[in-house]
Amino acid sequence: MAGQSKEASIPPWGLAVAGATGAVIANALVYPLDIVKTRLQVQVKRKPTDPAPTGVDVVHYTSTWDAITKITNDDGILGLYAGINGALVGVASTNFAYFYWYSVVRTLYISSQKTQTPPSTAVELSLGAVAGAVAQIFTIPVAVITTRQQTQGRHERKGMVDTAKEVINSEDGWSGLWRGLKASLVLVVNPAITYGAYQRLREVIFPGKLNLRPWEAFLLGAVSKSLATIATQPLIVAKVGLQSKPPPSREGKPFKSFIEVMSFIVKNEGILGLFKGIAPQITKGLLVQGLLMMTKERMELMFILLFRYLRKIKSEQLQKAADLAAVKAKQALPLVTK
């Protein structure tokens, strides 16, 4: 009920702006972890018969700290922020689209129900999946470009436009910008689990509470994102493999599906290879989601106060107009009665 009352007082675009703002701030703060987890997820154990690695593939990372150290030594501190412009554009657009459509479909669902009980966990997951699917279709090209930028070596580094041209000029053509779409659509269960769990935990732990304190929103966001990441890590690894350049052993041949990526990883690295990079993935997700939800809650509160203020001004203006009309009517009354 608390969630419903709050959402009803803020239009979808307001919730979308709040979510996008929180996502940009959170991702900017922990972006180096995004670089590290991507590098860890695309690297593949090399065999003696594999072609000599080039570019970023020359370096092999053994852990999160090892990756941070080597990236800093090779590229300097700025190496930890490679591709950040595209990443933040992608984060802003994806989260704006997600929160907008999530608000729309959730509001439509609630208004269609005869009773005002909160949606069940299954319904929350379904609503989140629908919103996530719509958001992914429109924003995945930015994700493809960002992944390519994050896996480029210092001497290969290009801007967003040049990286996009590189993708388009590959054998996939324009469709390369939507590489990994199927995996992304499957991965909508990640935000669905995240926000479904967030809503459910909020109703259980803080029932009836309209506005959460920053630490409460951070805690719920971190826990819900951790659960979602553990459940979907193999698909996350497969998606990164699809969107990055193929490993040297494939001699430039790109993967065709996330099932093919997963099979390749299991064959070369074993089943645990599907969970590589999970430490920075969970750490990043925990911090990002916690900061995101904390910022989003504050932004939503600001919007509520702003809309109340605007409604108050509008009400005062209408009252003044009514009073002025009444005065004019009284002044005109003697003329009418003569």
Side-chain angles (χ1 to χ4, degrees):
M1 290 293 287
Q4 295 173 36
S5 300
K6 187 176 184 179
E7 288 170 12
S9 61
I10 306 177
W13 68 264
L15 292 168
V17 170
T21 302
V24 168
I25 293 173
N27 278 274
L29 290 174
V30 300
Y31 186 76
L33 284 174
D34 199 24
I35 287 279
V36 169
K37 69 93 180 173
T38 301
R39 295 280 182 95
L40 286 170
Q41 288 170 353
V42 298
Q43 70 178 12
V44 179
K45 288 183 179 179
R46 296 192 291 268
K47 298 177 182 178
T49 56
D50 289 344
T54 59
V56 73
D57 295 319
V58 174
V59 184
H60 187 80
Y61 310 110
T62 58
S63 65
T64 300
W65 183 249
D66 182 55
I68 292 174
T69 303
K70 288 179 178 176
I71 292 171
T72 304
N73 289 339
D74 292 342
D75 298 344
I77 294 296
L78 292 179
L80 294 173
Y81 293 88
I84 189 171
N85 292 336
L88 294 184
V89 170
V91 162
S93 58
T94 300
N95 280 273
F96 183 92
Y98 180 85
F99 282 109
Y100 180 85
W101 290 110
Y102 181 74
S103 172
V104 169
V105 296
R106 194 171 192 271
T107 301
L108 288 174
Y109 173 81
I110 292 174
S111 62
S112 68
Q113 300 302 298
K114 295 180 180 179
T115 59
Q116 292 300 307
T117 56
S120 64
T121 302
V123 170
E124 290 283 10
L125 293 177
S126 300
L127 296 176
V130 171
V134 175
Q136 284 295 326
I137 291 172
F138 291 102
T139 61
I140 195 171
V142 180
V144 172
I145 293 169
T146 300
T147 300
R148 288 292 182 95
Q149 287 184 307
Q150 290 179 338
T151 54
Q152 290 169 347
R154 179 174 54 182
H155 302 297
E156 303 173 310
R157 198 159 294 154
K158 303 178 182 69
M160 286 187 68
V161 175
D162 289 333
T163 303
K165 289 179 179 177
E166 180 183 82
V167 174
I168 294 169
N169 292 332
S170 67
E171 67 176 67
D172 289 332
W174 281 93
S175 64
L177 292 174
W178 276 267
R179 176 169 273 276
L181 177 60
K182 291 180 180 178
S184 296
L185 291 178
V186 174
L187 271 171
V188 297
V189 298
N190 187 294
I193 293 172
T194 300
Y195 297 112
Y198 183 89
Q199 289 287 348
R200 184 60 56 226
L201 289 171
R202 177 175 181 164
E203 290 161 6
V204 171
I205 301 176
F206 306 108
K209 194 165 187 178
L210 186 60
N211 295 302
L212 300 181
R213 296 175 182 174
W215 71 266
E216 294 170 340
F218 184 97
L219 177 64
L220 291 185
V223 172
S224 59
K225 188 62 177 181
S226 297
L227 294 173
T229 299
I230 293 171
T232 59
Q233 181 68 8
L235 290 173
I236 294 172
V237 173
K239 177 187 172 184
V240 171
L242 271 174
Q243 294 178 340
S244 62
K245 286 184 177 180
S249 61
R250 289 183 63 86
E251 300 177 345
K253 182 182 178 182
F255 293 106
K256 297 297 182 183
S257 67
F258 65 93
I259 297 296
E260 186 180 4
V261 179
M262 294 170 74
S263 300
F264 178 84
I265 292 172
V266 172
K267 181 180 178 181
N268 287 271
E269 304 176 60
I271 194 72
L272 290 180
L274 296 175
F275 292 87
K276 58 187 176 182
I278 193 169
Q281 182 84 49
I282 287 182
T283 304
K284 178 217 168 191
L286 186 150
L287 293 173
V288 166
Q289 199 64 34
L291 291 169
L292 188 160
M293 299 312 294
M294 183 172 69
T295 307
K296 178 175 175 288
E297 289 286 337
R298 297 298 95 186
M299 287 289 294
E300 288 179 358
L301 180 58
M302 288 173 60
F303 273 118
I304 290 173
L305 296 176
L306 174 63
F307 292 141
R308 283 179 183 172
Y309 177 69
L310 293 176
R311 282 195 293 268
K312 180 181 178 182
I313 291 177
K314 185 177 180 180
S315 177
E316 290 174 351
Q317 290 176 338
L318 289 173
Q319 186 61 48
K320 286 181 180 179
D323 292 343
L324 182 61
V327 170
K328 289 183 177 180
K330 287 180 180 179
Q331 292 174 346
L333 187 61
L335 296 175
V336 175
T337 55
K338 285 181 179 180

